[in-house]
């Protein structure tokens, strides 16, 4: 189960990811800079995004691993940020319908056990007309990269973190939200997608 794996690695997670920071940190900053109003980040992990959020927003953050949340809480305190943290699974969010102006997911849906249900929950808690921002690992546009890189990497990440880098999360987003912008990086291995929940009619 992913929770046990992340609890075990929480204190070492940032160190393990450090070689990737030069590639991913600018994208994290770009993604969360789009947040406005009452914002929810799902799968906040160790809080690598926290320092990039605009000041003045009302920020909520959830994660399935309590140990990861503890690291995130420590970062928020050092940054002087007020964040409402809560342990919760993406598939069962403890918030009412239409509660948030913005929802953010940063490298989360590669690990969510039931991505369809999780995406439905993001749709549920987002206000009509609200913005959904996704920065996600996805299946590459290149079959060669999928076969020679992502598939072997997926075996390792699946064992360590219950992570699947070959998901078509970008297509799933389009089933629940109106996609306004999609940016692809590294042959589609990473995508930044900005979408919205249609306004009530």
């Amino acid at each position: 189960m992913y929770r046990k794996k992340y609890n075990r690695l929480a204190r070492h997670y940032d160190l393990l990811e450090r070689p990737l920071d030069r590639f991913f940190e600018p994208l994290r900053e770009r993604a969360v800079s789009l947040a406005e109003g009452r914002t929810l980040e799902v799968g906040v992990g160790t809080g690598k995004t926290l320092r990039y959020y605009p000041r003045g927003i009302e920020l909520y953050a959830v994660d399935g691993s309590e140990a990861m949340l503890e690291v995130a809480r420590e970062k928020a305190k050092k940054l002087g940020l007020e964040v409402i943290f809560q342990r919760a699974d993406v598939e069962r969010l403890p918030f009412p319908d239409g509660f948030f102006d913005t929802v953010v997911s940063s490298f989360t849906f590669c690990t969510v056990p039931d991505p369809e249900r999780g995406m439905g929950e993001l749709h549920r808690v987002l206000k009509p007309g609200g913005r959904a921002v996704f920065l996600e690992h996805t299946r590459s546009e290149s079959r060669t990269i999928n076969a020679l890189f992502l598939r072997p990497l997926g075996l390792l990440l699946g064992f360590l973190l219950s992570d699947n880098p070959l998901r078509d999360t970008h297509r799933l987003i389009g089933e629940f939200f109106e996609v306004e912008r999609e940016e692809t990086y590294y042959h589609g291995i990473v995508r930044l997608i900005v979408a919205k929940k249609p306004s009530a009619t």
Side-chain angles (χ1 to χ4, degrees):
M1 181 131 182
Y2 82 92
R3 185 173 293 111
K4 292 182 179 178
K5 294 178 180 180
Y6 279 93
N7 281 341
R8 186 171 61 248
L9 291 173
R11 291 290 165 180
H12 310 288
Y13 188 81
D14 287 356
L15 181 61
L16 293 172
E17 267 209 341
R18 188 168 295 168
L20 299 174
D21 283 349
R22 59 178 294 199
F23 303 104
F24 293 163
E25 287 303 290
L27 298 179
R28 286 190 173 100
E29 182 175 10
R30 181 171 171 77
V32 303
S33 69
L34 299 171
E36 297 178 347
R38 183 184 291 155
T39 297
L40 170 68
E41 181 173 348
V42 295
V44 69
T46 61
K48 299 187 78 166
T49 57
L50 294 178
R51 60 186 173 136
Y52 301 126
Y53 275 100
R55 298 291 172 168
I57 67 169
E58 182 182 349
L59 183 58
Y60 293 68
V62 301
D63 200 273
S65 163
E66 183 59 44
M68 298 284 274
L69 282 175
E70 282 300 317
V71 178
R73 287 188 184 101
E74 292 168 7
K75 286 183 182 175
K77 185 176 180 179
K78 290 178 181 178
L79 291 167
L81 298 177
E82 291 188 12
V83 184
I84 301 169
F85 290 102
Q86 191 166 348
R87 198 202 70 74
D89 294 319
V90 179
E91 302 98 325
R92 290 174 292 278
L93 294 173
F95 305 107
D97 296 356
F99 191 65
F100 294 101
D101 301 293
T102 308
V103 294
V104 175
S105 172
S106 173
F107 299 123
T108 297
F109 270 83
C110 50
T111 306
V112 174
D114 187 340
E116 289 81 8
R117 184 171 178 178
M119 199 66 69
E121 278 290 271
L122 294 194
H123 184 275
R124 179 184 68 79
V125 302
L126 186 63
K127 292 178 180 179
R131 175 181 284 164
V133 182
F134 298 88
L135 179 64
E136 299 288 350
H137 299 293
T138 59
R139 186 189 303 270
S140 174
E141 300 161 346
S142 166
R143 292 183 179 180
T144 301
I145 291 175
N146 290 331
L148 299 182
F149 177 63
L150 290 184
R151 199 170 302 280
L153 180 64
L155 294 175
L156 175 62
L157 293 178
F159 173 75
L160 291 175
L161 299 171
S162 300
D163 188 326
N164 181 358
L166 282 165
R167 286 183 173 172
D168 293 318
T169 302
H170 52 302
R171 294 192 175 91
L172 181 62
I173 292 167
E175 295 176 14
F176 286 84
F177 299 96
E178 293 181 355
V179 174
E180 297 183 319
R181 186 167 80 247
E182 178 175 335
E183 301 173 8
T184 62
Y185 299 90
Y186 316 120
H187 298 283
I189 290 175
V190 176
R191 298 174 197 256
L192 173 60
I193 298 174
V194 182
K196 71 174 183 178
K197 179 177 178 177
S199 300
T201 57

